[in-house]
Amino acid sequence: AALTKLDGFNPQELANTTWAFATASVEAPALFNAITDAALTKLDGFRPQELSNTTWAFATASVEA
């Protein structure tokens, strides 16, 4: 259910979500894939810290995007 709502997330919410799952070491490939799709449509809205946190989360979770 949450995957369908990601399109409504702003860049900070996407960054916080990826950070939380990576920090908790939760494997959620479908979520990370959906976040990738949502983030790509909002990429120009990401501030440097949000982009950095999202990149860190993907690397920490060993997710290829």
Side-chain angles (χ1 to χ4, degrees):
L3 295 179
T4 60
K5 297 180 188 264
L6 288 174
D7 285 338
F9 280 30
N10 65 38
Q12 182 177 357
E13 292 165 333
L14 292 170
N16 290 350
T17 302
T18 55
W19 180 89
F21 275 79
T23 299
S25 299
V26 175
E27 290 189 27
L31 175 66
F32 278 90
N33 287 336
I35 288 172
T36 298
D37 293 340
L40 287 174
T41 66
K42 299 172 171 67
L43 202 52
D44 62 339
F46 275 75
R47 292 179 291 200
Q49 186 65 53
E50 296 159 351
L51 188 57
S52 175
N53 289 355
T54 303
T55 303
W56 174 88
F58 273 79
T60 299
S62 299
V63 174
E64 291 186 28

